[in-house]
Amino acid sequence: MSTLAKELKVKISADANGLKGALNNISKEISKVSKDFEGLKKVGEGISSVGKKLTVGLSLPIAGIGAVSGKTAMDFEAGMNKVSAISGATGKDLEKLENLAKEMGRTTKFTSLESAEALSYMGMAGWKTQDMLNGLPGILSLASAGGTDLALTSDIVTDGLTAMGLTAKDTDKFVDIMASTVSNANTSIELMGETLAYVGPVAGSLGIEMDDLSVAIGLMGNAGLKGSQAGTSLRAGLTNLVKPTKEMKNAMEKYGVELVKNADGSVDLMGTMQNLRNVLGELDQTTQAQALATIFGKEAMSGWASIVNASESDFNKLTEAIANSEGSAKSMADTMM
């Protein structure tokens, strides 16, 4: 091997724009070493070829990233246009909502587009700009805590609030109660939403508190009654207690069952459940079944039986967890994320 070949040193200095040129220069320098070194020459040519391929190979994924980024931006813009059309938010109000959605996309596991979709459901429920600004973080926390789709969670919460006669300002308390219920009972955000779709309007018209209703939903869930089944059972039972037939009323008087009411005339569901547990819980199984069937009907009796027969520890644990649920959604979300 010649001295020139031994002393040859190749220094590569290339940036992204000059990479191809630098590789071509290397090929030329290697070719100059000796015409006898055909192998080295071929290596040089190979390096030049790699440079060409590298240039093309790099440009393709970069172009792909740009295309995806552009589509995402367009989808987000379309999503916010939908929010504007539904809610009527324009100008600075729409800008505030856009900034919030983008912030949620940067700081949470949900994208800005998902946040926009959640805002659209709030708009459908008649929420104004400030309602959305205040409500989105809580709904997002509930979705994170329950591992549910953000838009679906927004739909469940807005529908549930409306059914219970509540407003957007009650969102934080509402989502905390739901988060505490699903973490302490055998149910889920989706199933609670389904239950509320059936019983919510009746419970709301009777002035029943969401925390008391959630205790009933949780106890039924623990007994395997969830979703529409729990909702149907609760709705039928409440209807029978409010307006019992003559036979139902006779059974209620016989066993000491009463629909407990608050001073303002609204139904005290917690007091009613405690009454049922006290007067029916002591009966033998056959007598209790007869009483439940007569008062609540054959279809609804199993759900109310789960409330009557829940152990004292389970009843108290769920009741206390829901009563002290403030901040539960955010706490659970922080853990999940």
Side-chain angles (χ1 to χ4, degrees):
M1 181 178 293
S2 68
T3 302
L4 178 60
K6 291 181 179 178
E7 294 180 351
L8 177 63
K9 295 181 180 180
V10 179
K11 182 177 180 181
I12 300 173
S13 176
D15 54 24
N17 293 325
L19 180 57
K20 180 180 177 182
L23 290 172
N24 283 330
N25 287 336
I26 294 171
S27 176
K28 292 177 182 178
E29 290 298 320
I30 292 174
S31 297
K32 290 177 182 179
V33 174
S34 174
K35 292 182 179 180
D36 296 331
F37 286 31
E38 291 299 328
L40 275 175
K41 185 177 180 181
K42 290 180 180 179
V43 170
E45 293 170 349
I47 293 175
S48 178
S49 176
V50 169
K52 294 177 182 177
K53 292 180 180 178
L54 184 58
T55 301
V56 175
L58 282 171
S59 63
L60 288 176
I62 290 173
I65 291 171
V68 172
S69 178
K71 185 179 186 305
T72 300
M74 291 175 63
D75 288 344
F76 175 69
E77 183 179 358
M80 291 309 303
N81 286 340
K82 181 180 178 182
V83 172
S84 177
I86 293 172
S87 67
T90 58
K92 291 188 178 297
D93 283 345
L94 183 59
E95 184 179 350
K96 289 178 182 178
L97 295 174
E98 288 178 344
N99 290 337
L100 176 62
K102 291 176 182 177
E103 178 65 18
M104 295 297 98
R106 284 192 297 268
T107 59
T108 73
K109 72 174 186 178
F110 297 105
T111 66
S112 56
L113 176 57
E114 288 175 310
S115 295
E117 291 171 345
L119 289 171
S120 69
Y121 280 101
M122 298 178 199
M124 292 178 197
W127 290 21
K128 301 306 179 184
T129 299
Q130 196 57 48
D131 294 330
M132 297 184 200
L133 292 172
N134 294 338
L136 181 59
I139 290 175
L140 188 145
S141 291
L142 180 62
S144 298
T148 52
D149 176 80
L150 181 55
L152 173 61
T153 304
S154 180
D155 189 27
I156 289 171
V157 171
T158 52
D159 284 353
L161 286 167
T162 301
M164 293 292 292
L166 303 173
T167 63
K169 66 181 177 60
D170 300 303
T171 301
D172 286 345
K173 182 178 180 181
F174 193 88
V175 298
D176 282 340
I177 290 173
M178 288 193 75
S180 186
T181 303
V182 300
S183 64
N184 289 279
N186 190 5
T187 188
S188 67
I189 302 298
E190 296 99 318
L191 289 170
M192 277 196 75
E194 190 176 337
T195 299
L196 288 171
Y198 283 80
V199 70
V202 173
S205 67
L206 296 176
I208 292 174
E209 298 289 339
M210 178 61 182
D211 50 359
D212 292 347
L213 183 62
S214 294
V215 171
I217 293 173
L219 292 174
M220 288 189 181
N222 288 342
L225 285 87
K226 309 170 188 179
S228 60
Q229 190 176 12
T232 300
S233 182
L234 281 166
R235 181 179 62 187
L238 288 172
T239 301
N240 290 350
L241 288 171
V242 171
K243 192 175 182 180
T245 64
K246 183 176 181 180
E247 185 181 10
M248 293 173 184
K249 188 174 182 180
N250 290 337
M252 290 173 66
E253 292 175 353
K254 177 180 179 180
Y255 297 109
V257 172
E258 62 176 319
L259 180 67
V260 181
K261 294 186 177 182
N262 297 307
D264 62 0
S266 60
V267 172
D268 178 2
L269 182 57
M270 178 56 68
T272 301
M273 289 190 293
Q274 290 173 331
N275 166 260
L276 288 168
R277 288 170 59 80
N278 289 334
V279 300
L280 298 183
E282 300 300 323
L283 300 176
D284 62 77
Q285 291 183 339
T286 302
T287 305
Q288 182 191 95
Q290 291 174 343
L292 288 168
T294 302
I295 298 171
F296 297 107
K298 294 180 180 179
E299 296 298 324
M301 63 176 290
S302 58
W304 290 87
S306 66
I307 295 175
V308 171
N309 296 318
S311 69
E312 197 70 16
S313 61
D314 287 348
F315 186 88
N316 291 336
K317 177 186 175 184
L318 183 57
T319 300
E320 291 172 9
I322 292 176
N324 298 294
S325 62
E326 184 176 357
S328 293
K330 187 177 187 309
S331 178
M332 289 173 63
D334 289 343
T335 300
M336 294 293 288
M337 291 193 291

